[in-house]
Amino acid sequence: MIENMTLGKGYKVNLKVKQFLAKLKAKIRVKWNELLNDPSGPHVVALSFAIGALALMLTLPTLGLAFLLMLAIMKWTKHSLTAALIGYFFTKLIAFPLAPLELMIGRVLLHENFDPNSHKWTWARGMLHKGAEFILGASIVGLGLAVIFYFVIKQILLMRLKAKAKKTNAQD
């Protein structure tokens, strides 16, 4: 079996990597279509997507607790878990580049008012201050992204529904 394939100017691409990327692209396309065709409606799907995005922004500084909270909220409200997970994983693409912004926002808002020295463990003082800055910044950025994602996804779904209705009326 051929393991490597040469592309033009001597570039080699591992076929296993190429197959993995093709499968990943197909899965993303399937999940996106599930999201667009979710029967629960544009509001619920957009809200679920936004909750998933917000959960990711809070997951990094809270060590995964927000992810569990997102799962509990989705189960309790019976919203679209698929949309929430897509929002969660889509936001992973932009979460790390936003980390410096989150830290900067947290620093600006906490000023010197936050006293990490009040904590009795000396080793935790620096981490506690940075963690508080990061959690505050991530909460604000995550909330902003969630609102933006809600309106963008809802608009995409509404436009798709209108196009489907127009196409159905044109066929009748």
Side-chain angles (χ1 to χ4, degrees):
M1 184 173 150
I2 300 172
E3 282 294 320
N4 293 317
M5 184 172 91
T6 304
L7 296 175
K9 301 178 181 179
Y11 293 108
K12 290 186 176 181
V13 177
N14 188 331
L15 286 179
K16 289 181 182 180
V17 172
K18 193 172 181 179
Q19 290 170 348
F20 170 76
L21 291 175
K23 286 179 184 178
L24 181 64
K25 185 177 177 182
K27 283 183 182 182
I28 290 171
R29 191 173 288 143
V30 166
K31 291 297 180 187
W32 181 252
N33 284 331
E34 279 182 29
L35 176 75
L36 293 177
N37 296 319
D38 195 315
S40 56
H43 168 72
V44 171
V45 172
L47 185 62
S48 299
F49 190 94
I51 289 171
L54 180 61
L56 176 80
M57 298 307 286
L58 296 178
T59 296
L60 294 175
T62 60
L63 303 175
L65 294 177
F67 181 77
L68 297 175
L69 180 65
M70 176 196 69
L71 292 176
I73 289 172
M74 290 297 113
K75 187 153 181 95
W76 179 58
T77 60
K78 295 184 177 36
H79 282 128
S80 174
L81 182 60
T82 301
L85 290 174
I86 290 171
Y88 184 86
F89 290 111
F90 175 77
T91 310
K92 275 187 179 281
L93 299 173
I94 58 174
F96 289 112
L98 290 176
L101 175 67
E102 296 165 5
L103 198 55
M104 185 179 71
I105 290 171
R107 281 187 190 137
V108 167
L109 293 176
L110 281 180
H111 299 287
E112 301 299 320
N113 299 337
F114 181 70
D115 184 21
N117 295 325
S118 63
H119 201 278
K120 66 180 181 178
W121 295 322
T122 55
W123 62 269
R125 290 180 187 157
M127 285 177 38
L128 189 60
H129 194 273
K130 292 283 184 220
E133 291 172 347
F134 193 51
I135 287 172
L136 181 62
S139 300
I140 292 170
V141 170
L143 188 61
L145 282 175
V147 169
I148 291 168
F149 286 155
Y150 171 79
F151 288 109
V152 168
I153 295 295
K154 186 174 179 182
Q155 194 61 35
I156 289 171
L157 293 172
L158 288 173
M159 287 176 12
R160 185 175 167 100
L161 286 175
K162 285 179 185 176
K164 264 187 188 177
K166 190 182 272 188
K167 187 176 180 181
T168 305
N169 289 340
Q171 289 178 352
D172 291 339

